[in-house]
Amino acid sequence: MKEIIEGFMDLVKERNGHEPEFLQAVEEVAETVIPYIVQHDIYHGKNILLRMAEPERAITFRVCWVDDSGEIQVNRGYRIQMNSAIGPYKGGLRFHPTVNMSILKFLAFEQVFKNSLTTLPMGGGKGGSDFDPKGKSDNEIMRFCHAFMSELFRHIGPNTDIPAGDIGVGAREIGFLFGMYKKLRNEFTGVLTGKGMSWGGSLIRPEATGYGTVYFAQNMLEVKGDSFEGKKVVISGSGNVAQFAAEKALQLGAKVLTLSDSSGYIYDEDGIDADKLKYVMHLKNEERGRISEYVNEYPNAKFVKGKTPWEIKCDIALPCATQNELNEEDAQTLIDNGCICISEGANMPSTKEAVHTFHKAKILFAPGKASNAGGVATSGLEMTQNSLRYKWTREEVDNKLKEIMADIHQSCIEYGTEEDGYIDYVKGANIAGFVKVADAMLAQGIV
Ligand code: NDP
Ligand code: 2IT
């Protein structure tokens, strides 16, 4: 089996040797899905995973815009249309200086499996730009978003490809992007998700990724007869996903100890309660400040510069910042400190070695493509409401989100339970996500 997987990876490396994040994502899937393919005749010999590892289309384009000092800026825009076997391409846009082909292809590849797991009819895609929104004025953000959409609009549409937010793209950016799309097409359609509540957005979409990550962890804990009540929770990031993961963990009776950004983490021994979280949301979403400013407001807390929060003793860890933010050493520290459950809010935050360390210790570990799928699932619910020209209540959307997370958890159990009863959620998510897309691809022939 090892040789078959290596042989497959050699083929993928030949074409994508210079894309480490993409290779990491493909290898993790190959390790769990290839043994399944070999055991199932309908998939065997069809090069189905090799087809899934090649984007259907990868677009790059120039984005020129004028900054506040009158200088002309040039950025690169991307959209990776990875797989449309089960529905139109769907996935977020990331604006961050580290954005490149490797990162977007890894995200688009993960998205295909994630979207399949949601039970909704969505293919996978991802896009973005190396544009850095930090320190830019609202007008600069608007000019950039308009310039970006003035090219992207010709490649997307409500039945073709439906982008949404990701790192650096929130409600403000989606507004500017939607405005330019609508102007160019002269159409008011559900072409983007994460829209504002008065113009087609869905209630609970802002909360959905963070809430879903916690619902998934809740499902995992329930299998062990456990819950969030009284648990110490360590969270990384302080953006959209981290904020709402913290909110839901608090509502379920947990104590949240940390939040972070790329400069370091804050540790509040007394717990980040609802009032303090409200301050964080204002600081990050309105003031666009840094998480270190928390200690000016709450001097009992400390800011640890340049480090990640995994060294803080906890029961539950929720990595909600970015890829590869939790390495093997961090994983071992978490285990040694008694952590029992890791639910990934970010995409691929744990390195390959970290995941192996969690598995070796047989603790609860949920990969992002399962545990953070609540965001895109609720985007799917936004698309449904747009098509119906209707709006569901908060409770209706939240209940559907909970149901979807429970369904994903069940799929992981179905495909990931080992002989000794340990649930390998990585294997479960990869195989369950694969089966639906592969079946659709087989039915549609070689296209
Ligand atoms: P935001 O832009 O709202 O927040 C990102 C947070 O992560 C910030 O605190 C940011 O800190 C931190 N961060 C970003 N890059 C790094 C880095 N290199 N090192 C350390 N910290 C970093 O993004 P989201 O909350 O939306 O996204 C967070 C993660 O969740 C991403 O992996 C994203 O792909 C994933 N995700 C998001 C979904 C969504 O619906 N938004 C859905 C599913 C997954 P700083 O300000 O210093 O950069
Ligand atoms: O990684 C993700 O799933 C997202 N950024 C959300 C994508 C979406 O279409 O809502």
Side-chain angles (χ1 to χ4, degrees), residues 131 137-148 172 176-177 180:
F131 171 72
S137 69
D138 281 351
N139 272 327
E140 288 177 322
I141 297 286
M142 180 183 74
R143 285 197 295 275
F144 175 79
C145 288
H146 284 174
F148 182 83
R172 174 182 60 169
F176 295 144
L177 292 164
M180 184 49 89

Side-chain angles (χ1 to χ4, degrees), residues 90-92 111 114 126 164-166 193 205 347 375-376 379:
K90 177 82 194 92
Q111 199 79 45
K114 186 195 303 191
K126 200 86 189 189
D166 193 79
T193 58
R205 176 61 189 92
N347 286 306
V376 73
S379 279

Side-chain angles (χ1 to χ4, degrees), residues 76 99 124 152 168 242 255-256 262:
R76 187 172 291 175
V99 160
L152 186 68
K255 188 171 182 180
V256 176
S262 55

Side-chain angles (χ1 to χ4, degrees), residues 59-352:
I59 303 150
T60 73
F61 51 93
R62 186 180 72 181
V63 186
C64 298
W65 58 283
V66 181
D67 70 18
D68 285 349
S69 64
E71 193 98 16
I72 299 165
Q73 300 288 339
V74 183
N75 285 101
R76 187 172 291 175
Y78 301 83
R79 188 69 183 166
I80 314 297
Q81 300 182 328
M82 200 73 193
N83 193 299
S84 61
I86 63 167
Y89 310 108
K90 177 82 194 92
L93 295 171
R94 178 177 291 191
F95 291 169
H96 196 273
T98 57
V99 160
N100 59 33
M101 220 20 147
S102 172
I103 290 191
L104 292 181
K105 276 172 66 183
F106 117 64
L107 289 164
F109 184 76
E110 292 277 293
Q111 199 79 45
V112 172
F113 293 80
K114 186 195 303 191
N115 293 5
S116 165
L117 284 170
T118 64
T119 69
L120 303 175
M122 300 181 290
K126 200 86 189 189
S129 176
D130 58 2
F131 171 72
D132 186 359
K134 278 201 195 88
K136 303 288 190 296
S137 69
D138 281 351
N139 272 327
E140 288 177 322
I141 297 286
M142 180 183 74
R143 285 197 295 275
F144 175 79
C145 288
H146 284 174
F148 182 83
M149 187 52 89
S150 72
E151 172 59 31
L152 186 68
F153 86 100
R154 68 186 85 249
H155 306 291
I156 63 175
N159 297 309
T160 308
D161 184 352
I162 305 92
D166 193 79
I167 291 176
V169 178
R172 174 182 60 169
E173 290 74 20
I174 294 292
F176 295 144
L177 292 164
F178 185 80
M180 184 49 89
Y181 182 89
K182 183 166 65 61
K183 181 184 168 83
L184 293 171
R185 288 266 194 227
N186 195 24
E187 266 178 14
F188 194 109
T189 61
V191 65
L192 291 160
T193 58
K195 300 187 289 298
M197 295 307 145
S198 61
W199 42 280
S202 174
L203 290 160
I204 298 289
R205 176 61 189 92
E207 294 89 341
T209 311
Y211 279 18
T213 302
V214 171
Y215 292 151
F216 197 91
Q218 206 182 8
N219 286 319
M220 292 199 291
L221 290 164
E222 272 166 15
V223 174
K224 302 265 178 200
D226 212 338
S227 76
F228 266 83
E229 185 66 45
K231 294 288 189 298
K232 290 193 171 108
V233 179
V234 159
I235 300 178
S236 66
S238 49
N240 172 267
V241 181
Q243 291 172 18
F244 289 105
E247 183 168 285
K248 186 51 73 179
L250 287 179
Q251 287 171 7
L252 296 178
K255 188 171 182 180
V256 176
L257 298 176
T258 68
L259 288 168
S260 74
D261 61 24
S262 55
S263 311
Y265 74 90
I266 52 126
Y267 172 46
D268 189 336
E269 210 179 349
D270 306 330
I272 302 164
D273 61 19
D275 282 340
K276 294 174 182 174
L277 185 59
K278 205 170 146 197
Y279 161 79
V280 170
M281 288 183 177
H282 179 78
L283 171 73
K284 297 301 292 186
N285 309 341
E286 258 71 57
E287 306 282 327
R288 302 199 180 264
R290 305 297 296 160
I291 200 63
S292 55
E293 294 168 53
Y294 182 95
V295 298
N296 304 336
E297 194 75 13
Y298 304 106
N300 264 355
K302 63 174 184 178
F303 175 65
V304 184
K305 198 173 161 194
K307 294 191 88 176
T308 50
W310 316 124
E311 59 195 16
I312 299 298
K313 193 170 159 45
C314 67
D315 305 299
I316 298 167
L318 306 174
C320 298
T322 193
Q323 64 276 352
N324 293 327
E325 56 163 318
L326 194 164
N327 63 25
E328 185 176 12
E329 204 186 319
D330 301 324
Q332 196 55 54
T333 305
L334 284 167
I335 294 164
D336 293 345
N337 280 339
C339 178
I340 55 167
C341 176
I342 295 98
S343 185
E344 294 186 337
N347 286 306
M348 207 169 74
S350 308
T351 63
K352 190 182 158 183

